[in-house]
Each structure stands twice: as C-alpha cells, then as structure tokens.
Amino acid sequence: MKTLAIFTIFVLISGVAFTSSANNAYAQNDPSILLRIATQADKQILNQLDRSYGDSIPSKIQTLYEKGHTSVESLKNSLPDNIEQAREDFLSAMKSFKQITRMISEPVAESKISAYTSESHRDFSSELDRLEKHVQNLKKISEKYKSEINFDEIDNLINEAYIQIDNGTDNTSEIIDKLKDLIHSIEKEIRESASHGASDRIKQFIDKQLKGIEKKLTRALDAGADETQIDNAHELIAEIKILISENDIDNAKMVFHDLHKLVKNIVRSVR
Amino acid sequence: MNPQIVPIHRKESLREDGMLFVRTEGILDTMVKLPLLVASMIIVAAVMPIQSSFSSPRVLDLIIYPDGTTHVSSEIDVDPLVTDYELDLFGSTIDNFVVVGEDGFLLNTDVIGNSALIETFGSSIITIEYDIHDLVSKQGRIWTFSLDAPSDFTLLLPKNSAIVGMTNLPINMEIINDQNQLTLSVGDTEIDYLFSTTPIISDPIVSDTLTPQTDYLTYALVGGVVAASIAGIAIVIRSKQKTAKPEQVQESTQKIETVDAETIFKLKPDLREDDKEIVKFIANNGGYALESELRKKFLQPRTTMWRAVKRLERNGVIVIEKKDLQNLVKLRKDIEKEEEE
C-alpha cells in the first residue's frame, strides 16, 4: 500500500512537472526554414554592405560578416542531420547580421514608429488597410445585432481613398480623417445597439450569480462568519435586485462588484 | 580513544531522562496522511492546466504593416464565473480596439494605459483585436520588432521585407501572399528587417538541398513536363518570330526613339539629383515604368514619389498615362523637338 502511494505521488509530481515544462518545449516543424531565413539575411546584408560601403567595407564589419557567412555555410552542412548544430549556427549567424545592421544603420536616435507622429511620414495605404479591416469587424458585429447600420458611405470613402492613394493626390489625408469620424459615429451606434442586448445578458448573469452567492452566505453563516458582514452582503443583494428591476444595469454592475469583493472576504474568513 | 567522547547513540542516560525517540523508518506514515497527500496532488495536477489556460492566449496573431503599426488579434480563455477580465496590452498607443465574446457580441471595455478592463459577464472565450504603434521601432533603414510574447504566436511581416537579424529560433515559416509569416515561441523576441528591392522568396535550389527524402520520380515527371513545355514554348516563339518580324522591328525602333538620360540632362540642366536618378532608371527600363515600380526601386513613400513624378511632368520630361488603374510614367520622345522650338 505504502509503495503504491509513494509511486502515485511520484507519478503525480512528474506529471505536474512535465505539464509545466511542456509549455516551454520547443518544436520546430521544418528545420530547413532556418537556412531559408539565414540565407536570405546573408544576401540582404551583402546588398546593404555593397550599398553602404562599396568596396571599402570597414574591417570590423567585414569580420562580423565573415563570421555570419561562415555560420550560414555551417548551417547548410549541419542540415538535415545535425539539428542542434543547425540551431546554434542559425543563432550565431543572425546575431552577427544583427550586429552588422546596427552598425550600418544611420546614427540617428531610435524612435518609435507611429503613423501619427508626423503628417509627412503617414503611410496612407497602411492606415487605410487597417481601417478597412476594422470596418469589416464592425460589419460582423453589426450583423450580429441585426442593426440596420448603413456602411455604404464608409465603403465609398474607402474606395475613394484607395483611388486617391493610387493617383497620389494630396487630399487623401482629408478623406482618411473623414473616414475615421464616420467610423467613430458607427462605433457609437453599434455600442448603443449592443448595450440593449448586453443588459439582458448581464441580468441573466447576475441573477444566476446571486443564487450561488446566497447559498455561499448561508454556508458561511453556519461556519461562523461575521454576522454583520453577512447582513451587509444581503443588503447589497437586495439593492442589486431593485436596480435590476428598474433596469439600472450600470449601477447594478457596480454594486455587484462590491458584493463580489465582500463575499470573497467572507468566504476567506471562514476557511 | 578519548573516554570523554562517547557516541550519542550509546548514551543510556538519555533514555532514562524520558527523551522521546521517533523511529525514522516510520516517519512518512506517522507525520503525513498519505491519502490526504495523494488527494492534494491530484487537485494540484488537475488545477494547473486550468490555471495556465486562463489568461494565456489560445491564439495570438500579429500583422506588421509597412508603416510599422502592428495589428494584434488574440483569443483568450476567461473564467465565465467572473464579471471582468484585466488584459495586459502590448503598449499604450492603441487604435481600433474591439473585444467580442464567443457568441460574437461586443463586450464593454475600458482601456487605461497598458491595460484594458473587459466586462466578460459569463463569456468563456474572448476575441480581441487592436492596432498598436509600440512594437516596431526604426533606426536608419532597419526596422526592429520586439515583443515579450505571453504565448506562441504568428507574425506576418510586410511585403518586400527581409529579415536581417533575429534573437531566437522560429518554429515555422510560411509564405502568404508574398509575405513571410513566422511562427515564434513564447518569450522575448526581437526581429530586425528591412525593405528590400530584391525578391524575398527563398531560392528554390536551397530548398531542394534540404529535402533528401524527395521523391525523385515526381521530380523526373515534373522535370519532363517542364522540359516539354519549354520546348513547346520555344517552337511557338520561333514560329511567331518568323511571322511577326515586322512588329519586332517596329518595337525595336520605338526603343531607339526613346531619348537617353544624358540628352535629357543636357536639355534640362536644372533637374534635381534625385529626379535625375528616376530619369536614369526609366531610360534604362526602355523609356517607361510604373509609378509603383519607381516607389519600390527608390524606397519612397507613395506621396513623395508622386510629387517627384509630377515635378518631372511639369518640367516636360515625362508623360503620365493610366494603365490598369496605375500610373505609367513615360519619357517624352518629343522633348528635343520642344526644346528646339
């Protein structure tokens, strides 16, 4: 019996340890992708060096490039049999190339990229692609609520903006800003439609939770919990029920949050 | 042996003083309730996956746009018994933030700084989408994506981008619409990339060397078909060449008619240096090029290139024509005549 129990504990401990370590396990589908990436990087670095320095590459960069290139060659030889070596070669090559890119980059202060930092740097095409994706999301949500929101104007503006971008005309910025305003107003409309459906969902959720909480409070009282706290909890429950009957969902949610915290404390006190 | 030193287990006086002795071989039975221990271990083993399943994304997909902004799309398991869920965002400059429950209905959210409070109210899976400007930075020509990912994730890099540095190993890489999509593991990731004028798709010869288990029969068949197609195309072209010689002559004369770059520079000495480069490229390209090709060649934003092209049009160097909704830029053949007049 004792041996069996010890064996069970051992199995469980190993199981726990295994499941937690499995999250960090590393699985590579196809090691050849390492070579594809490294070869591509090698070519690009060579192009960049050629572009930046021509035939007079600084010796430090040349040494780094040779190190990276040697690692790529070694990576080629390591595959497909020696995966571990291939991984090491890949990381070594990419590290060298990364160092080179840092060295050949113009010596300017690193700055975060933002589509909004400067009007002259705005990439309208990317901005428009993102807005279009967002509009697609809004359309799906709108269909869910069966709200009759008209997206025609937005669709037309998106098309117009794409044409303007292709033609390179100067008023693309205005169209995109107009598009953003329209999207904001549609988001507002959807949120209003959503709030009606959400109210019913929240009511159902709170009703169900209140039943469970009342049972918990009864058990806590039997276990010797502080009666004043239990009374406070019951008062909050009564308040929530009134607020729900008055359809005051926002306040019901707030009081429910307070109740949730209080019940947690009560349950903890009797453990 | 020193008589003062007596091994402790031989000290009979200790027993006489009423000292309690515990048999060590029975300690497990005496001190630990085995069934209780087993039960607790079972509970721990059962709860661990549940704990790790909540709050870590089950899906995390990222798309980097050419301007460095990243679209985040994520699915997270949440506890259906709690009212809200606090989500750590990957930064604070967020746009187009939308969260829906598993039924596709919109959830209320409150974004403050780097975190969002989502009212889940019974949802067990939530889908989050937003655009973020904090994940990519740029230094010179090099763009750097960095993220401490809470789970494995996919990353779609922009078109014409080429990876030139990486801090960890990718799990997978696919090409989707001419874009590299990497699958990366949880934890810190830093990827350097730049926009390339050369094709980014890897050399097929390289792939061939990496697949030793290749079915050679398939290769032979495919090779045979390709060879036959090439032979067929060659025959067709040869037969067409015989019949269409006058057209070819006309085409070649058209190319000869194109004014060379040096002549243009002599006629238009005030052209800007960057505009001269564009003219050189068009001239070497047979006298015409799509505006999009120029953008790719000179790595210029759309508006900058458009202004350059417009400038050249105003100077009478080029004409702009529409071709399949794109701008086709052509060097003017009559530039010399115009200047003479």
Side-chain angles (χ1 to χ4, degrees):
Chain A
M1 175 65 191
K2 194 170 75 182
T3 319
L4 184 70
I6 290 169
F7 178 72
T8 316
I9 292 171
F10 175 73
V11 168
L12 285 168
I13 290 171
S14 327
V16 170
F18 179 74
T19 48
S20 53
S21 66
N23 290 334
N24 302 321
Y26 180 81
Q28 197 148 41
N29 292 351
D30 178 9
S32 71
I33 60 168
L34 301 181
L35 184 58
R36 282 162 64 193
I37 295 171
T39 312
Q40 195 187 88
D42 191 346
K43 280 182 192 169
Q44 290 301 331
I45 291 291
L46 206 57
N47 280 346
Q48 290 301 314
L49 291 178
D50 194 36
R51 216 169 124 176
S52 304
Y53 304 105
D55 291 332
S56 52
I57 301 169
S59 61
K60 203 176 172 186
I61 294 180
Q62 181 71 39
T63 313
L64 268 175
Y65 173 72
E66 276 161 16
K67 194 181 164 198
H69 183 71
T70 310
S71 297
V72 176
E73 290 300 315
S74 167
L75 172 60
K76 258 182 213 169
N77 298 329
S78 306
L79 286 171
D81 302 319
N82 195 347
I83 305 296
E84 274 312 308
Q85 183 59 44
R87 285 176 183 163
E88 272 177 36
D89 291 334
F90 174 80
L91 289 174
S92 162
M94 295 314 270
K95 192 180 168 190
S96 301
F97 295 151
K98 199 173 165 57
Q99 281 173 291
I100 295 171
T101 58
R102 291 276 183 270
M103 290 165 97
I104 60 176
S105 292
E106 285 145 21
V108 289
E110 191 159 313
S111 56
K112 296 281 178 192
I113 296 305
S114 166
Y116 307 100
T117 45
S118 158
E119 188 72 16
S120 60
H121 286 96
R122 276 176 78 175
D123 177 350
F124 294 123
S125 182
S126 299
E127 222 173 305
L128 193 58
D129 286 348
R130 286 193 296 274
L131 287 176
E132 195 182 14
K133 201 176 172 72
H134 183 52
V135 169
Q136 295 304 325
N137 277 337
L138 295 179
K139 278 182 185 173
K140 273 188 215 162
I141 296 166
S142 168
E143 276 169 27
K144 249 319 186 201
Y145 289 105
K146 294 189 175 96
S147 61
E148 290 172 0
I149 294 171
N150 191 347
F151 284 89
D152 287 351
E153 199 181 345
I154 283 193
D155 288 339
N156 290 339
L157 270 179
I158 289 174
N159 288 335
E160 198 187 326
Y162 273 123
I163 292 168
Q164 298 287 351
I165 287 171
D166 279 341
N167 293 339
T169 39
D170 280 337
N171 61 341
T172 316
S173 161
E174 283 167 31
I175 297 175
I176 288 185
D177 290 342
K178 197 177 165 189
L179 189 59
K180 280 183 184 169
D181 288 343
L182 255 178
I183 289 173
H184 282 309
S185 64
I186 279 192
E187 275 175 341
K188 211 176 161 189
E189 268 187 74
I190 291 177
R191 288 201 187 278
E192 274 167 21
S193 305
S195 65
H196 301 302
S199 299
D200 293 339
R201 210 159 43 83
I202 292 167
K203 268 187 209 172
Q204 280 172 11
F205 174 82
I206 291 179
D207 271 342
K208 201 174 156 188
Q209 292 292 307
L210 287 184
K211 281 172 196 159
I213 286 172
E214 278 170 336
K215 279 181 193 167
K216 267 186 197 170
L217 291 176
T218 312
R219 279 200 299 272
L221 192 63
D222 293 343
D226 181 6
E227 276 186 42
T228 326
Q229 280 202 322
I230 301 271
D231 287 344
N232 285 343
H234 279 298
E235 269 175 34
L236 289 179
I237 290 173
E239 199 181 333
I240 291 166
K241 283 180 178 169
I242 293 168
L243 287 168
I244 284 181
S245 68
E246 288 169 355
N247 221 18
D248 188 354
I249 304 299
D250 284 341
N251 282 326
K253 277 194 294 192
M254 271 183 1
V255 182
F256 184 79
H257 277 294
D258 293 342
L259 174 68
H260 204 258
K261 276 183 204 163
L262 182 60
V263 172
K264 257 188 180 176
N265 286 339
I266 293 171
V267 171
R268 209 174 290 145
S269 71
V270 292
R271 255 181 204 160
Chain B
M1 191 178 175
N2 189 344
Q4 295 295 314
I5 301 168
V6 181
I8 199 160
H9 62 273
R10 287 188 190 167
K11 276 194 171 179
E12 297 295 320
S13 58
L14 284 173
R15 260 184 220 169
E16 284 161 15
D17 291 344
M19 264 308 257
L20 175 68
F21 280 85
V22 178
R23 284 172 61 201
T24 49
E25 61 265 32
I27 196 158
L28 201 67
D29 286 338
T30 318
M31 303 286 284
V32 184
K33 296 281 181 204
L34 268 177
L36 197 67
L37 188 65
V38 171
S40 0
M41 289 305 295
I42 290 171
I43 291 165
V44 169
V47 164
M48 271 200 70
I50 298 169
Q51 281 181 330
S52 61
S53 72
F54 286 139
S55 83
S56 72
R58 53 155 68 189
V59 177
L60 181 57
D61 297 322
L62 275 73
I63 301 169
I64 304 180
Y65 285 87
D67 63 357
T69 300
T70 311
H71 180 79
V72 179
S73 174
S74 170
E75 243 180 48
I76 300 178
D77 286 318
V78 291
D79 187 350
L81 299 175
V82 298
T83 53
D84 43 40
Y85 175 77
E86 197 173 338
L87 171 76
D88 288 328
L89 303 168
F90 297 137
S92 55
T93 43
I94 303 288
D95 275 331
N96 306 329
F97 187 74
V98 171
V99 185
V100 291
E102 72 258 47
D103 46 12
F105 289 109
L106 196 65
L107 300 180
N108 271 345
T109 55
D110 192 8
V111 179
I112 304 160
N114 279 15
S115 70
L117 191 69
I118 302 161
E119 287 187 354
T120 52
F121 282 103
S123 291
S124 54
I125 301 166
I126 54 171
T127 306
I128 300 142
E129 303 230 14
Y130 60 93
D131 297 321
I132 180 164
H133 310 288
D134 301 332
L135 298 185
V136 177
S137 56
K138 191 185 174 207
Q139 192 172 25
R141 285 192 295 268
I142 309 297
W143 301 68
T144 304
F145 164 85
S146 40
L147 175 72
D148 185 5
S151 67
D152 290 356
F153 66 104
T154 66
L155 179 70
L156 188 68
L157 290 157
K159 257 187 191 171
N160 300 320
S161 64
I163 299 166
V164 287
M166 226 172 151
T167 53
N168 55 358
L169 294 158
I171 296 171
N172 197 14
M173 185 170 88
E174 286 176 80
I175 307 290
I176 297 173
N177 297 330
D178 295 341
Q179 289 171 266
N180 277 329
Q181 189 188 52
L182 297 171
T183 306
L184 296 149
S185 45
V186 59
D188 274 323
T189 298
E190 203 170 285
I191 295 172
D192 287 347
Y193 64 91
L194 47 78
F195 287 95
S196 160
T197 46
T198 53
I200 56 151
I201 314 297
S202 57
D203 192 349
I205 300 160
V206 171
S207 304
D208 285 353
T209 59
L210 295 164
T211 49
Q213 302 94 337
T214 316
D215 183 357
Y216 289 105
L217 184 67
T218 317
Y219 266 91
L221 281 170
V222 173
V225 172
V226 170
S229 315
I230 292 169
I233 291 165
I235 291 165
V236 171
I237 290 171
R238 194 169 273 192
S239 62
K240 272 193 175 177
Q241 275 174 341
K242 278 177 190 169
T243 53
K245 264 188 178 170
E247 273 179 34
Q248 199 186 29
V249 171
Q250 203 183 350
E251 199 179 297
S252 61
T253 52
Q254 268 185 356
K255 278 194 178 172
I256 292 161
E257 274 177 27
T258 309
V259 188
D260 70 288
E262 290 308 319
T263 316
I264 295 171
F265 301 154
K266 275 179 197 162
L267 294 170
K268 303 278 181 187
D270 297 334
L271 282 182
R272 287 164 51 148
E273 282 307 310
D274 45 353
D275 290 353
K276 281 182 181 173
E277 290 300 315
I278 296 171
V279 171
K280 265 186 208 167
F281 176 77
I282 301 172
N284 292 336
N285 200 43
Y288 58 88
L290 289 170
E291 198 181 304
S292 55
E293 286 175 330
L294 296 175
R295 276 202 307 272
K296 278 177 199 161
K297 169 70 187 166
F298 295 99
L299 296 174
Q300 292 286 355
R302 215 175 269 265
T303 44
T304 312
M305 185 48 73
W306 178 79
R307 284 195 194 101
V309 166
K310 277 284 169 195
R311 213 165 32 238
L312 287 169
E313 190 189 32
R314 275 197 303 273
N315 277 324
V317 178
I318 54 139
V319 283
I320 304 170
E321 289 177 12
K322 280 279 166 203
K323 188 192 172 191
D324 301 331
L325 290 170
Q326 293 197 69
N327 283 347
L328 181 69
V329 183
K330 281 182 172 177
L331 289 181
R332 282 184 63 175
K333 291 169 197 165
D334 54 352
I335 186 168
E336 284 172 298
K337 284 178 197 168
E338 197 187 69
E339 286 297 310
E340 280 165 16
E341 280 165 19

